[in-house]
Short mmCIF file of all heavy atoms in Angstrom, two decimals:
data_model
loop_
_atom_site.label_atom_id
_atom_site.label_comp_id
_atom_site.label_asym_id
_atom_site.label_seq_id
_atom_site.Cartn_x
_atom_site.Cartn_y
_atom_site.Cartn_z
N ARG A 1 18.27 0.42 -6.34
CA ARG A 1 19.07 0.43 -5.11
C ARG A 1 19.30 1.82 -4.52
O ARG A 1 19.25 1.98 -3.30
CB ARG A 1 20.41 -0.28 -5.36
CG ARG A 1 20.26 -1.77 -5.61
CD ARG A 1 21.57 -2.42 -6.02
NE ARG A 1 21.33 -3.74 -6.59
CZ ARG A 1 22.26 -4.49 -7.15
NH1 ARG A 1 23.52 -4.06 -7.19
NH2 ARG A 1 21.96 -5.67 -7.65
N PRO A 2 19.55 2.86 -5.33
CA PRO A 2 19.77 4.19 -4.73
C PRO A 2 18.55 4.71 -3.97
O PRO A 2 18.69 5.61 -3.13
CB PRO A 2 20.08 5.08 -5.94
CG PRO A 2 20.60 4.14 -6.98
CD PRO A 2 19.81 2.88 -6.79
N LEU A 3 17.36 4.17 -4.25
CA LEU A 3 16.15 4.66 -3.60
C LEU A 3 15.84 3.93 -2.30
O LEU A 3 14.95 4.36 -1.55
CB LEU A 3 14.95 4.50 -4.55
CG LEU A 3 15.03 5.29 -5.87
CD1 LEU A 3 13.82 4.97 -6.73
CD2 LEU A 3 15.12 6.78 -5.60
N LEU A 4 16.56 2.83 -2.03
CA LEU A 4 16.24 2.02 -0.85
C LEU A 4 16.33 2.82 0.44
O LEU A 4 15.44 2.74 1.29
CB LEU A 4 17.16 0.80 -0.79
CG LEU A 4 16.98 -0.28 -1.86
CD1 LEU A 4 18.06 -1.35 -1.73
CD2 LEU A 4 15.60 -0.90 -1.75
N ALA A 5 17.41 3.58 0.60
CA ALA A 5 17.60 4.32 1.84
C ALA A 5 16.52 5.38 2.03
O ALA A 5 16.06 5.61 3.16
CB ALA A 5 18.98 4.97 1.85
N TYR A 6 16.07 6.00 0.94
CA TYR A 6 15.03 7.03 1.05
C TYR A 6 13.68 6.41 1.41
O TYR A 6 12.91 6.97 2.21
CB TYR A 6 14.95 7.84 -0.24
CG TYR A 6 16.22 8.61 -0.50
CD1 TYR A 6 17.24 8.07 -1.29
CD2 TYR A 6 16.42 9.86 0.08
CE1 TYR A 6 18.43 8.76 -1.49
CE2 TYR A 6 17.60 10.56 -0.13
CZ TYR A 6 18.60 10.00 -0.91
OH TYR A 6 19.78 10.70 -1.10
N GLY A 7 13.40 5.24 0.83
CA GLY A 7 12.19 4.52 1.22
C GLY A 7 12.24 4.08 2.67
O GLY A 7 11.23 4.12 3.40
N ALA A 8 13.43 3.67 3.12
CA ALA A 8 13.61 3.25 4.51
C ALA A 8 13.40 4.42 5.46
O ALA A 8 12.82 4.27 6.54
CB ALA A 8 15.00 2.65 4.70
N ILE A 9 13.87 5.61 5.08
CA ILE A 9 13.70 6.80 5.92
C ILE A 9 12.23 7.11 6.12
O ILE A 9 11.77 7.35 7.25
CB ILE A 9 14.42 8.00 5.28
CG1 ILE A 9 15.94 7.86 5.47
CG2 ILE A 9 13.92 9.32 5.86
CD1 ILE A 9 16.74 8.88 4.69
N VAL A 10 11.45 7.08 5.04
CA VAL A 10 10.02 7.39 5.14
C VAL A 10 9.31 6.35 6.00
O VAL A 10 8.49 6.68 6.86
CB VAL A 10 9.39 7.49 3.74
CG1 VAL A 10 7.88 7.70 3.85
CG2 VAL A 10 10.02 8.61 2.93
N LEU A 11 9.63 5.08 5.79
CA LEU A 11 9.02 4.02 6.58
C LEU A 11 9.35 4.18 8.06
O LEU A 11 8.47 4.07 8.93
CB LEU A 11 9.50 2.66 6.08
CG LEU A 11 8.95 1.42 6.82
CD1 LEU A 11 7.44 1.36 6.71
CD2 LEU A 11 9.58 0.14 6.27
N ASP A 12 10.61 4.45 8.34
CA ASP A 12 11.06 4.61 9.73
C ASP A 12 10.33 5.77 10.40
O ASP A 12 9.89 5.67 11.55
CB ASP A 12 12.57 4.84 9.74
CG ASP A 12 13.18 4.67 11.13
OD1 ASP A 12 12.51 4.12 12.02
OD2 ASP A 12 14.33 5.09 11.32
N GLU A 13 10.19 6.88 9.70
CA GLU A 13 9.53 8.06 10.27
C GLU A 13 8.05 7.81 10.51
O GLU A 13 7.49 8.28 11.51
CB GLU A 13 9.73 9.27 9.36
CG GLU A 13 11.16 9.78 9.30
CD GLU A 13 11.69 10.24 10.66
OE1 GLU A 13 10.88 10.66 11.52
OE2 GLU A 13 12.92 10.17 10.87
N ILE A 14 7.39 7.08 9.62
CA ILE A 14 5.98 6.76 9.83
C ILE A 14 5.81 5.91 11.09
O ILE A 14 4.93 6.17 11.93
CB ILE A 14 5.40 6.01 8.60
CG1 ILE A 14 5.29 6.96 7.41
CG2 ILE A 14 4.03 5.42 8.93
CD1 ILE A 14 4.84 6.29 6.13
N ILE A 15 6.66 4.91 11.24
CA ILE A 15 6.56 4.01 12.39
C ILE A 15 6.86 4.77 13.68
O ILE A 15 6.22 4.55 14.72
CB ILE A 15 7.51 2.81 12.22
CG1 ILE A 15 7.05 1.94 11.04
CG2 ILE A 15 7.57 1.97 13.49
CD1 ILE A 15 8.00 0.82 10.68
N ARG A 16 7.82 5.69 13.63
CA ARG A 16 8.14 6.49 14.82
C ARG A 16 6.96 7.36 15.24
O ARG A 16 6.67 7.51 16.42
CB ARG A 16 9.34 7.40 14.54
CG ARG A 16 10.69 6.70 14.48
CD ARG A 16 11.75 7.70 14.06
NE ARG A 16 13.04 7.07 13.86
CZ ARG A 16 13.94 6.87 14.82
NH1 ARG A 16 13.66 7.27 16.06
NH2 ARG A 16 15.09 6.30 14.56
N LYS A 17 6.29 7.94 14.25
CA LYS A 17 5.21 8.89 14.55
C LYS A 17 3.98 8.18 15.12
O LYS A 17 3.34 8.68 16.05
CB LYS A 17 4.83 9.66 13.28
CG LYS A 17 3.73 10.69 13.52
CD LYS A 17 3.52 11.58 12.33
CE LYS A 17 2.34 12.52 12.53
NZ LYS A 17 2.51 13.39 13.72
N ALA A 18 3.64 7.03 14.57
CA ALA A 18 2.43 6.31 15.02
C ALA A 18 2.67 4.82 14.84
O ALA A 18 2.31 4.25 13.81
CB ALA A 18 1.21 6.75 14.21
N PRO A 19 3.30 4.17 15.81
CA PRO A 19 3.67 2.76 15.65
C PRO A 19 2.48 1.86 15.32
O PRO A 19 1.53 1.76 16.10
CB PRO A 19 4.25 2.39 17.03
CG PRO A 19 4.66 3.69 17.64
CD PRO A 19 3.68 4.70 17.13
N PRO A 20 2.52 1.23 14.16
CA PRO A 20 1.47 0.29 13.82
C PRO A 20 1.73 -1.07 14.47
O PRO A 20 2.80 -1.27 15.08
CB PRO A 20 1.58 0.18 12.29
CG PRO A 20 3.04 0.40 12.03
CD PRO A 20 3.51 1.37 13.08
N LYS A 21 0.79 -1.97 14.35
CA LYS A 21 1.00 -3.33 14.84
C LYS A 21 1.99 -4.05 13.93
O LYS A 21 2.87 -4.79 14.39
CB LYS A 21 -0.33 -4.09 14.87
CG LYS A 21 -0.22 -5.55 15.28
CD LYS A 21 -1.57 -6.24 15.23
CE LYS A 21 -1.46 -7.71 15.59
NZ LYS A 21 -2.76 -8.41 15.49
N GLN A 22 1.85 -3.83 12.64
CA GLN A 22 2.68 -4.53 11.66
C GLN A 22 2.69 -3.76 10.35
O GLN A 22 1.85 -2.90 10.11
CB GLN A 22 2.13 -5.94 11.41
CG GLN A 22 0.71 -5.94 10.85
CD GLN A 22 0.06 -7.30 10.85
OE1 GLN A 22 0.62 -8.28 11.31
NE2 GLN A 22 -1.15 -7.39 10.31
N VAL A 23 3.68 -4.07 9.53
CA VAL A 23 3.75 -3.56 8.17
C VAL A 23 3.45 -4.73 7.24
O VAL A 23 4.11 -5.77 7.31
CB VAL A 23 5.14 -2.97 7.86
CG1 VAL A 23 5.21 -2.51 6.41
CG2 VAL A 23 5.46 -1.83 8.81
N THR A 24 2.46 -4.56 6.38
CA THR A 24 2.06 -5.61 5.45
C THR A 24 2.26 -5.13 4.03
O THR A 24 1.78 -4.06 3.65
CB THR A 24 0.58 -6.00 5.66
OG1 THR A 24 0.42 -6.52 6.98
CG2 THR A 24 0.14 -7.05 4.65
N ILE A 25 2.97 -5.91 3.25
CA ILE A 25 3.27 -5.54 1.87
C ILE A 25 2.08 -5.87 0.98
O ILE A 25 1.53 -6.97 1.04
CB ILE A 25 4.52 -6.28 1.36
CG1 ILE A 25 5.73 -5.98 2.25
CG2 ILE A 25 4.81 -5.90 -0.08
CD1 ILE A 25 6.10 -4.52 2.33
N SER A 26 1.69 -4.91 0.17
CA SER A 26 0.60 -5.12 -0.79
C SER A 26 1.14 -4.99 -2.21
O SER A 26 1.72 -3.97 -2.57
CB SER A 26 -0.51 -4.09 -0.57
OG SER A 26 -1.49 -4.21 -1.59
N ALA A 27 0.92 -6.04 -2.99
CA ALA A 27 1.26 -5.98 -4.41
C ALA A 27 0.12 -5.35 -5.20
O ALA A 27 0.25 -5.10 -6.40
CB ALA A 27 1.56 -7.38 -4.94
N SER A 28 -1.00 -5.12 -4.54
CA SER A 28 -2.15 -4.48 -5.17
C SER A 28 -2.15 -3.00 -4.82
O SER A 28 -2.09 -2.64 -3.64
CB SER A 28 -3.45 -5.12 -4.67
OG SER A 28 -3.50 -6.50 -4.98
N GLY A 29 -2.22 -2.18 -5.85
CA GLY A 29 -2.19 -0.75 -5.62
C GLY A 29 -3.10 -0.03 -6.59
O GLY A 29 -4.22 -0.46 -6.85
N VAL A 30 -2.61 1.06 -7.15
CA VAL A 30 -3.44 1.91 -8.02
C VAL A 30 -3.97 1.13 -9.21
O VAL A 30 -5.15 1.25 -9.57
CB VAL A 30 -2.63 3.14 -8.49
CG1 VAL A 30 -3.44 3.95 -9.50
CG2 VAL A 30 -2.26 4.01 -7.29
N ARG A 31 -3.13 0.33 -9.85
CA ARG A 31 -3.58 -0.40 -11.04
C ARG A 31 -4.74 -1.33 -10.72
O ARG A 31 -5.76 -1.35 -11.42
CB ARG A 31 -2.41 -1.20 -11.63
CG ARG A 31 -1.28 -0.35 -12.16
CD ARG A 31 -0.22 -1.19 -12.85
NE ARG A 31 0.50 -2.06 -11.94
CZ ARG A 31 1.60 -1.72 -11.27
NH1 ARG A 31 2.08 -0.49 -11.40
NH2 ARG A 31 2.21 -2.57 -10.48
N GLU A 32 -4.56 -2.11 -9.66
CA GLU A 32 -5.62 -3.05 -9.28
C GLU A 32 -6.85 -2.32 -8.76
O GLU A 32 -7.99 -2.76 -8.97
CB GLU A 32 -5.10 -4.02 -8.22
CG GLU A 32 -4.06 -5.01 -8.73
CD GLU A 32 -2.70 -4.38 -9.02
OE1 GLU A 32 -2.40 -3.30 -8.45
OE2 GLU A 32 -1.93 -4.95 -9.82
N GLY A 33 -6.63 -1.18 -8.09
CA GLY A 33 -7.76 -0.39 -7.62
C GLY A 33 -8.59 0.16 -8.77
O GLY A 33 -9.83 0.22 -8.70
N LEU A 34 -7.92 0.55 -9.83
CA LEU A 34 -8.62 1.05 -11.01
C LEU A 34 -9.52 -0.03 -11.62
O LEU A 34 -10.67 0.23 -12.00
CB LEU A 34 -7.60 1.54 -12.03
CG LEU A 34 -8.13 2.15 -13.33
CD1 LEU A 34 -8.97 3.39 -13.05
CD2 LEU A 34 -6.99 2.50 -14.27
N LEU A 35 -9.00 -1.26 -11.71
CA LEU A 35 -9.81 -2.36 -12.25
C LEU A 35 -10.96 -2.71 -11.30
O LEU A 35 -12.09 -2.96 -11.74
CB LEU A 35 -8.93 -3.59 -12.48
CG LEU A 35 -7.82 -3.44 -13.53
CD1 LEU A 35 -7.08 -4.76 -13.71
CD2 LEU A 35 -8.39 -2.97 -14.87
N TYR A 36 -10.66 -2.74 -10.01
CA TYR A 36 -11.70 -3.06 -9.02
C TYR A 36 -12.84 -2.06 -9.10
O TYR A 36 -14.02 -2.42 -8.95
CB TYR A 36 -11.05 -3.04 -7.64
CG TYR A 36 -11.97 -3.26 -6.47
CD1 TYR A 36 -12.40 -4.55 -6.13
CD2 TYR A 36 -12.39 -2.19 -5.67
CE1 TYR A 36 -13.23 -4.75 -5.03
CE2 TYR A 36 -13.21 -2.39 -4.58
CZ TYR A 36 -13.62 -3.68 -4.26
OH TYR A 36 -14.44 -3.87 -3.18
N GLU A 37 -12.52 -0.81 -9.37
CA GLU A 37 -13.53 0.24 -9.44
C GLU A 37 -14.49 0.01 -10.62
O GLU A 37 -15.64 0.49 -10.59
CB GLU A 37 -12.83 1.60 -9.58
CG GLU A 37 -13.75 2.78 -9.44
CD GLU A 37 -12.99 4.09 -9.55
OE1 GLU A 37 -12.22 4.25 -10.53
OE2 GLU A 37 -13.15 4.94 -8.66
N GLN A 38 -14.03 -0.70 -11.64
CA GLN A 38 -14.89 -0.93 -12.82
C GLN A 38 -15.96 -1.99 -12.57
O GLN A 38 -16.92 -2.11 -13.33
CB GLN A 38 -14.03 -1.37 -14.03
CG GLN A 38 -12.82 -0.52 -14.33
CD GLN A 38 -13.14 0.95 -14.43
OE1 GLN A 38 -14.06 1.35 -15.14
NE2 GLN A 38 -12.36 1.78 -13.74
N LEU A 39 -15.79 -2.79 -11.52
CA LEU A 39 -16.72 -3.87 -11.25
C LEU A 39 -18.01 -3.34 -10.64
O LEU A 39 -18.04 -2.27 -10.03
CB LEU A 39 -16.10 -4.88 -10.28
CG LEU A 39 -14.79 -5.54 -10.72
CD1 LEU A 39 -14.26 -6.44 -9.59
CD2 LEU A 39 -14.98 -6.34 -12.00
N SER A 40 -19.08 -4.11 -10.78
CA SER A 40 -20.33 -3.76 -10.12
C SER A 40 -20.17 -3.97 -8.61
O SER A 40 -19.25 -4.66 -8.16
CB SER A 40 -21.47 -4.63 -10.64
OG SER A 40 -21.29 -5.98 -10.22
N SER A 41 -21.08 -3.42 -7.83
CA SER A 41 -21.00 -3.59 -6.38
C SER A 41 -21.13 -5.06 -6.00
O SER A 41 -20.48 -5.52 -5.05
CB SER A 41 -22.08 -2.76 -5.69
OG SER A 41 -23.38 -3.13 -6.15
N ALA A 42 -21.95 -5.82 -6.73
CA ALA A 42 -22.08 -7.25 -6.45
C ALA A 42 -20.78 -7.98 -6.72
O ALA A 42 -20.37 -8.86 -5.95
CB ALA A 42 -23.21 -7.85 -7.29
N GLU A 43 -20.10 -7.60 -7.80
CA GLU A 43 -18.82 -8.23 -8.13
C GLU A 43 -17.75 -7.86 -7.12
O GLU A 43 -16.92 -8.69 -6.74
CB GLU A 43 -18.40 -7.81 -9.55
CG GLU A 43 -19.30 -8.39 -10.63
CD GLU A 43 -19.08 -7.70 -11.98
OE1 GLU A 43 -18.45 -6.63 -12.02
OE2 GLU A 43 -19.58 -8.25 -12.98
N GLN A 44 -17.77 -6.63 -6.65
CA GLN A 44 -16.79 -6.19 -5.66
C GLN A 44 -16.93 -6.95 -4.35
O GLN A 44 -15.94 -7.16 -3.64
CB GLN A 44 -16.93 -4.69 -5.41
CG GLN A 44 -16.47 -3.82 -6.56
CD GLN A 44 -16.67 -2.35 -6.29
OE1 GLN A 44 -17.27 -1.96 -5.29
NE2 GLN A 44 -16.19 -1.49 -7.19
N ARG A 45 -18.14 -7.38 -4.03
CA ARG A 45 -18.37 -8.09 -2.77
C ARG A 45 -17.89 -9.54 -2.80
O ARG A 45 -17.83 -10.20 -1.76
CB ARG A 45 -19.85 -8.05 -2.40
CG ARG A 45 -20.32 -6.67 -1.92
CD ARG A 45 -21.68 -6.77 -1.25
NE ARG A 45 -22.72 -7.22 -2.17
CZ ARG A 45 -23.45 -6.40 -2.93
NH1 ARG A 45 -23.26 -5.09 -2.87
NH2 ARG A 45 -24.37 -6.88 -3.73
N LEU A 46 -17.55 -10.04 -3.97
CA LEU A 46 -17.06 -11.41 -4.06
C LEU A 46 -15.74 -11.56 -3.30
O LEU A 46 -14.95 -10.62 -3.22
CB LEU A 46 -16.85 -11.82 -5.52
CG LEU A 46 -18.09 -11.87 -6.41
CD1 LEU A 46 -17.70 -12.22 -7.83
CD2 LEU A 46 -19.11 -12.86 -5.88
#
């Protein structure tokens, strides 16, 4: 909870600087990217 306001500040400033169409939440990040990188190119295209 103490970090919520700081995360909100960064999000607000990003949107102010270059308004996107939308903000989409991704549960996939570095961990999933690391696993995805281990796959062959054919597997990645699935």
Side-chain angles (χ1 to χ4, degrees):
R1 293 173 195 173
L3 298 177
L4 291 175
Y6 296 93
I9 285 171
V10 175
L11 179 61
D12 194 15
E13 291 299 332
I14 289 175
I15 294 173
R16 286 175 186 272
K17 181 171 175 59
K21 176 183 178 182
Q22 61 191 3
V23 177
T24 298
I25 302 300
S26 174
S28 300
V30 175
R31 295 186 293 272
E32 291 72 22
L34 182 61
L35 296 183
Y36 177 79
E37 190 179 51
Q38 310 308 311
L39 302 176
S40 68
S41 58
E43 292 166 346
Q44 289 178 353
R45 287 194 297 271
L46 297 177

